[in-house]
Amino acid sequence: MPTTSTSTIQRQANASVANLTDYDAALLNFSWHAAADELLDTFADGSLNITYNCIDRHAEGDRADKTALIFEQSNGEHEQYTFRDLKKLTNQFSNVLADLSVKKGDRVFVFLPTIPERYIAFLGILKLGAVAGTMFAAFQEDALLDRLGDSEASVIVTSPELYPRIKNIQDKLPALNQIIIVGRGQYVIPAGKGIISYNDAMDAASESFEPAHMQNDEYSYMLYTSGTTGKPKGIVHAHYDILQAMVTTKYVLDLRDSDIYWCTADIGWVTGVVYGTLGVWGLGGTNVIYEGRFSPENWYDVLEKHHVSVWYSAPTAIRMLMASATNPKSYDLHNLRHLASVGEPLNPEAIWWGLDVFGLAFHDTWWQTELGAIAVTNLPALDIKPGSMGKPLPGIEVAILDDAGNVLPDGEQGNLALRASTVSSLMKTVWGNPVKFDSYFKGEWYISGDSAVRDSDGYYWFIGRTDDLINTSGERVGPFEVESALVEHPAVVEAGVIGKPDKLRGEIIKAFVVLQDGIEPDEDMKHTLQQHVKHHLAGHAYPREIDFIDHLPKTRSGKIMRRVLKAQELGLPTGDTSTLESY
Ligand code: PRX
């Protein structure tokens, strides 16, 4: 197995979670129907609504005055919202949208920094039955145009600081007719086409709203995610997908009513949507959100100040904490009870470090935007094999397949696949692209694009991607998007982009660039191109390394052979190059 460690870590002593104490029994007994009966509230007609399940039912019951949201601001102050507060605010926001004639199925996007209004808007959109899209605040004009254009969003919720990026592309977005601006503190609502002040509209809106009755497979949220070819694709989820979010928040993240929970992911990405919003509030939990930037001191302060007990984070952040001189033992973190990680391989050293400094092991969880919730994981009830992703969530059937779709025996590396019908929260469609949607499936199997191996104890071990997708600091970046941003610069003829292994970030983005004749291939040019990508595509998606080369390896049909670039970079054999035009 691909691991540096031989010892296992015994399951948590306090892993007393209901029916998953015994993994093997849970495998036999688990049923999605029973889970739905236990965790979901439906309306009398059998329909449901995510926001009703996350907010209204708690506000109408015993949890009305329980703190739902703790907002830790970057200036060290904080705000708290109860479930009752969030019911009122999401009702008002749904009414704001209804007054703008937004209807069920319309796409409404949220492009805000991490402030409570980001969550209120998101949940208000779902309450009305519109499709909620979220976008990372670091996105620049190219990334915004791709998403808003493809989805034909009619409304966007943004801030005075982020609005100029929308203004610059508004002419290319004929469907976008309303821009709701959320101001906090001192702010000025900018003048412009279709502008509405969030605060004014909320003040004028009624505090009551009847949540839309949604069928199980009616759309809820959409997230654009990178593939290896072409522009990002809109992965669309349904209202019923909250069920798997709740099941996994309960049984994998082990969330209990008394916990204070912090998922460090931004809601521009799927982890922030599913585990920073749906799962925790579906269960009526207290959720911390943090506006400030990452630093070990800032994060330990948040954990200490708010008595966080369940913490869901990511390997790059954990490695940065490990590398820092700041000692977590100098903080009072005794409330921490359960730790989990997602997004990239969790190296065994990170687990050993967690055990040393927190007395707790990080539990790895594996899933994808398309899957909508955790699918392979280290349940609290399982012993951990450091370096392994764990076992399938009870209810989900996982296998390793060869390229022809045959199930491979234990110990053999292949395609990590899931029986589609067993993944309750699997995406419902790819927006406007049924061909792409179909391409994920081989018969009854959903093919993840990851390669993995299963050991004889049934534990899965991640090997890598089977394609060119880049995972940098847990964020998924398509090489094509970065190449497109680079070739937009007048100095560039063409570019090939790969993920280069990196100890801290998992991978970094590396670009190979062919410059126009006469352009100096110097450090200034590298800096110029990095800034260009940061300002046109996104702050996180720029190439940290650039090499200037004379020509790119390509197939005869002109496709850039990224695997050859990668092999050359890593000093590995380049494999079959017979179809290459030049290399
Ligand atoms: O390659 C796998 C990696 O992240 C990909 C999914 O990315 P995304 O859709 O952005 O979702 C990230 C958060 C769910 C996967 O195909 N990945 C995710 N979790 C792990 C992982 N790789 C190794 N170990 C994990 N635990």
Side-chain angles (χ1 to χ4, degrees), residues 399-467:
I400 303 293
L401 305 183
D402 67 14
D403 288 342
N406 305 306
V407 176
L408 287 170
D410 289 345
E412 282 193 33
Q413 177 178 335
N415 300 296
L416 179 59
L418 302 91
R419 189 177 291 282
S421 61
T422 67
V423 185
S424 177
S425 59
L426 186 67
M427 63 175 163
K428 296 299 164 291
T429 190
V430 175
W431 190 257
N433 201 337
V435 173
K436 174 68 192 172
F437 179 73
D438 290 345
S439 72
Y440 280 95
F441 302 94
K442 200 167 246 156
E444 293 176 351
W445 295 102
Y446 164 89
I447 312 293
S448 69
D450 285 357
S451 63
V453 60
R454 186 173 69 179
D455 69 18
S456 53
D457 295 326
Y459 281 72
Y460 284 79
W461 301 75
F462 178 83
I463 309 271
R465 287 290 302 178
T466 58
D467 57 22

Side-chain angles (χ1 to χ4, degrees), residues 211-352:
H213 288 206
M214 306 300 288
Q215 300 305 314
N216 287 353
D217 57 358
E218 281 189 292
Y219 301 159
S220 56
Y221 71 93
M222 72 191 296
L223 272 168
Y224 277 80
T225 193
S226 299
T228 40
T229 52
K231 298 287 191 184
K233 310 287 186 301
I235 306 298
V236 185
H237 284 280
H239 275 255
Y240 195 73
D241 296 3
I242 191 178
L243 175 60
Q244 195 175 323
M246 281 196 271
V247 166
T248 46
T249 303
K250 179 166 175 160
Y251 295 118
V252 179
L253 304 181
D254 197 17
L255 190 77
R256 305 172 195 177
D257 224 355
S258 53
D259 279 316
I260 309 286
Y261 169 86
W262 185 28
C263 167
T264 56
D266 185 287
I267 94 160
W269 308 116
V270 76
T271 307
V273 169
V274 177
Y275 293 102
T277 312
L278 308 185
V280 51
W281 283 333
L283 296 180
T286 299
N287 194 16
V288 174
I289 68 167
Y290 174 52
E291 183 186 34
R293 296 180 74 86
F294 169 85
S295 82
E297 298 75 27
N298 290 351
W299 275 29
Y300 294 140
D301 276 342
V302 173
L303 291 170
E304 179 181 67
K305 176 173 172 187
H306 297 294
H307 313 292
V308 172
S309 51
V310 176
W311 181 29
Y312 194 21
S313 195
T316 293
I318 298 167
R319 288 190 290 264
M320 287 180 172
L321 295 176
M322 286 168 74
S324 146
T326 307
N327 186 355
K329 290 182 179 169
S330 62
Y331 293 78
D332 177 4
L333 305 180
H334 78 274
N335 291 96
L336 279 178
R337 185 177 65 70
H338 191 66
L339 312 182
S341 160
V342 65
E344 14 158 4
L346 179 64
N347 43 319
E349 298 74 18
I351 299 184
W352 300 123

Side-chain angles (χ1 to χ4, degrees), residues 26 91 189 281 358 489 518 532:
N91 280 353
I189 298 290
W281 283 333
F358 306 118
H489 192 279
H532 174 81

